[in-house]
Amino acid sequence: MEKTQLVRDWRGRDYLVGDTPQDLINRPRSWMFWLPWAAMASIGAMQYGYAAAVPALAQARGWPLASALAPLAVWIVCQAAVALPTVLLLRRGALGIRVALWAGAPLSAAALLTVALARDLPALLAGYALLGGVGAGLVYGSCTEAVARWYPERPASRVGLITGAFAYGTAPLAVVTVLDGAALRPLFAVTAVVALAAVGLAAAFVRLPPPHWWPAHIDPRAWADDRVALRREPRAVRQFSLGQALRTGSLPTLVSILVCAGAVSIFDVVALATSGGFSPWAAVALLLVLNGAGRACAMLAAEVAGRGRALSAVLALLCLGQLLLAWGAVTGSAVMILVATVPAGLGGGAFYPLIASLVREYFGERHTASIHGVVYSAKAVAGIVGVGLAVLALTSSGHAATFFLAAGLVLAAVALSATLRQPGHPVTLPR
């Protein structure tokens, strides 16, 4: 085994070089990608699977659709609220990743079983929304942190791949539920077993590397000077604390963008699942697959065009999708709905990893966990707004009008994205 040494690059970033994954965990680091990937794919049913199952759930339990949507809003709030402290505690060493995942496994399984078995809303709120939100937050935070730490040379693209599994891993369950509401109970029961096994397996094997760990086969100083690497992982002008980041104006802008786009992304799943007459199962399946693919491919586009331009482009795609969905809802055209699902699905997932990578590019690596946690916690607000849009579509204005409203929200996010600038540069050139 090589002697471990701490190396510092020209920007002051530290790299702990020497130990290989085989030295640290006695297996390739690919295990630290695929196990979190499987865990994330298994728990995605709590968000997107539940959203697609709302019509079947309401019909089976005799609830109004709006009432069946309330637990989803609470779940999103709890999941977003728990993911942030999970990452912070893992970074500080106050929480072990095995403990977090072992706790998340039974909580996630219990939430999915609750969806299958609960007969009243209080039980669903307690078992699915509260316990499931906590469990999903523990798993989400642990998996994203593990992958980012084991792949420090390309953290954004790797995390984008596993968060993509959170969306497209749900597609089979969502399709069958929309096609056959009677399958809801066995499907969610089986998914609970799968989640328990997948997250439990991750808990048994996933470990975090030491702080500042760097793969020994990559020269960190050469990597820090490499133009291709700089394009993939642009460096911040300096390291910002959370307070300094809040004062830049860029952080509140990123939060606002996530609220607007995140709300529409959640709304689209519910809206397509509850809109009859144009093969909703096909639209939901395509939306979820493209949502996950968009997350996975977003960083490839960003490496070519830059993160800011890529973010504006995917938000424009999401806005276009809402306008086409509104057109399809007005005309009742199944073909138009499916066509509209392509930009809506791609745009509805891709903005998440792009925003996460912009946090690193704008504010540096040192306080990434706390700063990105603030941004990601805006998903709680996005969930409430997204469910509110779905309730509005179901109770008053109809789907077409609400799609136009959703397009307006995303258009606001597009306008905000155009104002983003990397902080830390001088406002004017010196005379």
Side-chain angles (χ1 to χ4, degrees), residues 7-11 13 15 17 153 214-233 235:
V7 177
R8 180 167 292 177
D9 68 13
W10 62 281
R11 283 190 180 272
R13 177 177 175 178
Y15 307 81
V17 184
E153 75 277 20
W214 187 260
H217 67 281
I218 300 174
D219 182 345
R221 287 174 175 158
W223 177 86
D225 291 333
D226 184 70
R227 289 185 178 182
V228 175
L230 286 170
R231 188 169 65 248
R232 289 174 176 171
E233 300 294 332
R235 312 293 191 273

XYZ file of all heavy atoms in Angstrom, residues 7-11 13 15 17 153 214-233 235:
273
model
N -2.096 16.359 -0.427
C -1.597 17.221 -1.499
C -2.509 18.432 -1.612
O -3.733 18.313 -1.452
C -1.566 16.437 -2.837
C -1.117 17.341 -3.978
C -0.656 15.222 -2.719
N -1.932 19.588 -1.917
C -2.714 20.814 -2.065
C -2.472 21.394 -3.457
O -1.340 21.458 -3.921
C -2.335 21.835 -0.996
C -3.111 23.140 -1.068
C -2.913 23.956 0.188
N -3.544 23.303 1.334
C -3.491 23.766 2.588
N -2.831 24.869 2.856
N -4.095 23.110 3.560
N -3.573 21.816 -4.122
C -3.408 22.376 -5.465
C -3.256 23.890 -5.397
O -3.220 24.502 -4.316
C -4.555 21.944 -6.384
C -5.901 22.563 -6.002
O -5.925 23.511 -5.186
O -6.945 22.106 -6.504
N -3.199 24.518 -6.571
C -2.925 25.954 -6.638
C -4.050 26.811 -6.091
O -3.850 27.990 -5.789
C -2.629 26.351 -8.082
C -3.766 26.113 -9.046
C -4.124 24.930 -9.610
C -4.688 27.086 -9.534
N -5.214 25.088 -10.424
C -5.588 26.409 -10.411
C -4.860 28.456 -9.343
C -6.619 27.048 -11.076
C -5.886 29.096 -10.008
C -6.756 28.405 -10.861
N -5.257 26.215 -5.929
C -6.363 26.972 -5.343
C -6.525 26.713 -3.848
O -7.434 27.243 -3.217
C -7.677 26.634 -6.056
C -7.822 27.308 -7.417
C -9.232 27.115 -7.939
N -9.432 27.735 -9.229
C -9.809 28.991 -9.430
N -10.026 29.778 -8.395
N -9.974 29.463 -10.648
N -7.107 23.620 -2.482
C -7.918 22.446 -2.183
C -7.013 21.293 -1.779
O -5.971 21.057 -2.392
C -8.756 22.055 -3.398
C -9.581 20.797 -3.179
C -10.454 20.475 -4.366
N -11.132 19.201 -4.176
C -11.994 18.667 -5.046
N -12.312 19.324 -6.155
N -12.557 17.501 -4.815
N -6.130 17.217 -1.104
C -6.415 15.897 -1.655
C -5.649 14.866 -0.834
O -4.429 14.974 -0.688
C -5.967 15.787 -3.111
C -6.496 16.863 -4.025
C -5.887 18.119 -4.074
C -7.576 16.626 -4.864
C -6.351 19.109 -4.932
C -8.045 17.612 -5.725
C -7.433 18.846 -5.750
O -7.893 19.824 -6.589
N -4.210 11.446 -0.952
C -3.846 10.521 -2.025
C -3.038 9.358 -1.455
O -2.194 9.549 -0.575
C -3.029 11.247 -3.117
C -2.741 10.318 -4.285
C -3.769 12.486 -3.597
N -13.694 13.396 -8.460
C -13.260 14.002 -9.717
C -14.440 14.355 -10.616
O -14.317 15.214 -11.492
C -12.283 13.075 -10.460
C -12.896 11.859 -11.140
C -13.123 10.678 -10.210
O -13.177 10.884 -8.973
O -13.250 9.549 -10.708
N -8.907 11.083 -2.410
C -8.784 11.274 -3.853
C -8.277 9.977 -4.482
O -7.379 9.326 -3.922
C -7.807 12.413 -4.148
C -7.757 12.791 -5.597
C -6.822 12.416 -6.509
C -8.697 13.613 -6.299
N -7.109 12.956 -7.738
C -8.254 13.691 -7.643
C -9.854 14.285 -5.939
C -8.932 14.417 -8.622
C -10.541 15.008 -6.899
C -10.086 15.067 -8.219
N -8.830 9.563 -5.620
C -8.372 8.311 -6.249
C -6.895 8.384 -6.632
O -6.452 9.359 -7.251
C -9.273 8.169 -7.474
C -9.857 9.532 -7.702
C -9.942 10.177 -6.369
N -6.147 7.341 -6.267
C -4.696 7.365 -6.432
C -4.261 7.359 -7.883
O -3.144 7.799 -8.205
C -4.084 6.157 -5.712
N -5.121 6.881 -8.807
C -4.714 6.794 -10.211
C -4.839 8.128 -10.958
O -4.501 8.215 -12.137
C -5.536 5.721 -10.943
C -6.991 6.055 -11.078
N -7.883 5.885 -10.039
C -7.716 6.560 -12.118
C -9.095 6.258 -10.440
N -9.011 6.673 -11.695
N -5.331 9.181 -10.273
C -5.456 10.506 -10.892
C -4.561 11.482 -10.140
O -4.682 11.631 -8.920
C -6.920 11.008 -10.849
C -7.842 10.041 -11.598
C -7.023 12.403 -11.444
C -9.312 10.387 -11.472
N -3.649 12.128 -10.858
C -2.778 13.134 -10.243
C -3.620 14.371 -9.930
O -4.095 15.043 -10.855
C -1.647 13.489 -11.207
C -0.662 14.502 -10.615
O -0.994 15.140 -9.601
O 0.430 14.652 -11.184
N -3.827 14.718 -8.657
C -4.735 15.819 -8.327
C -4.262 17.177 -8.847
O -5.082 18.005 -9.266
C -4.791 15.796 -6.802
C -3.561 15.083 -6.378
C -3.262 14.093 -7.454
N -2.942 17.423 -8.840
C -2.457 18.717 -9.305
C -2.611 18.847 -10.821
O -2.981 19.914 -11.325
C -0.999 18.902 -8.890
C -0.854 19.178 -7.387
C 0.587 19.222 -6.964
N 0.712 19.605 -5.559
C 1.759 19.347 -4.802
N 2.800 18.713 -5.326
N 1.799 19.721 -3.534
N -2.333 17.765 -11.531
C -2.546 17.794 -12.979
C -4.027 17.934 -13.301
O -4.414 18.654 -14.229
C -1.984 16.519 -13.611
N -4.869 17.252 -12.521
C -6.320 17.343 -12.713
C -6.795 18.773 -12.483
O -7.642 19.282 -13.222
C -7.019 16.392 -11.756
C -8.514 16.443 -11.802
C -9.334 15.762 -12.654
C -9.370 17.212 -10.955
N -10.655 16.053 -12.382
C -10.704 16.952 -11.352
C -9.156 18.106 -9.914
C -11.794 17.545 -10.741
C -10.239 18.694 -9.288
C -11.538 18.415 -9.708
N -6.249 19.426 -11.464
C -6.672 20.789 -11.136
C -6.301 21.781 -12.232
O -6.941 22.831 -12.357
C -6.054 21.229 -9.810
N -5.275 21.456 -13.031
C -4.846 22.350 -14.111
C -5.393 21.939 -15.476
O -5.211 22.676 -16.444
C -3.319 22.366 -14.195
C -2.696 23.060 -12.989
O -3.372 23.930 -12.410
O -1.558 22.720 -12.640
N -6.050 20.785 -15.542
C -6.500 20.261 -16.829
C -7.720 21.032 -17.340
O -8.694 21.229 -16.613
C -6.847 18.779 -16.683
C -7.233 18.153 -18.004
O -6.365 17.990 -18.859
O -8.432 17.844 -18.172
N -7.681 21.453 -18.593
C -8.775 22.265 -19.141
C -10.072 21.466 -19.249
O -11.155 22.003 -19.022
C -8.384 22.796 -20.525
C -7.304 23.863 -20.467
C -7.056 24.442 -21.854
N -6.053 25.512 -21.800
C -5.676 26.219 -22.859
N -6.194 25.950 -24.052
N -4.776 27.167 -22.745
N -9.964 20.197 -19.603
C -11.165 19.363 -19.697
C -11.803 19.203 -18.320
O -13.018 19.325 -18.151
C -10.825 17.989 -20.301
C -12.048 17.081 -20.279
C -10.311 18.153 -21.722
N -10.979 18.955 -17.300
C -11.500 18.816 -15.945
C -12.108 20.118 -15.449
O -13.140 20.116 -14.760
C -10.388 18.366 -14.996
N -11.473 21.233 -15.806
C -12.016 22.529 -15.397
C -13.368 22.788 -16.045
O -14.238 23.428 -15.449
C -11.036 23.649 -15.759
C -9.784 23.753 -14.875
C -8.786 24.723 -15.476
C -10.172 24.170 -13.463
N -13.552 22.299 -17.274
C -14.850 22.454 -17.922
C -15.885 21.548 -17.259
O -17.051 21.912 -17.122
C -14.728 22.133 -19.416
C -15.990 22.459 -20.207
C -15.778 22.389 -21.707
N -15.467 21.046 -22.162
C -14.302 20.653 -22.648
N -13.300 21.514 -22.725
N -14.113 19.410 -23.060
N -15.454 20.353 -16.849
C -16.383 19.427 -16.200
C -16.749 19.885 -14.788
O -17.893 19.792 -14.378
C -15.755 18.031 -16.127
C -15.647 17.319 -17.463
C -14.876 16.022 -17.307
N -14.838 15.276 -18.550
C -14.089 14.193 -18.745
N -13.307 13.760 -17.770
N -14.120 13.564 -19.899
N -15.737 20.345 -14.054
C -15.941 20.757 -12.665
C -15.351 22.150 -12.454
O -14.262 22.298 -11.885
C -15.292 19.752 -11.700
C -15.824 18.344 -11.801
C -17.267 18.235 -11.373
O -17.709 19.053 -10.533
O -17.966 17.335 -11.863
N -14.179 25.697 -11.079
C -13.827 26.076 -9.704
C -14.473 27.403 -9.319
O -14.612 28.298 -10.152
C -12.305 26.197 -9.543
C -11.504 25.051 -10.103
C -11.732 23.757 -9.321
N -10.743 22.772 -9.733
C -10.872 21.950 -10.763
N -11.978 21.989 -11.482
N -9.922 21.078 -11.058
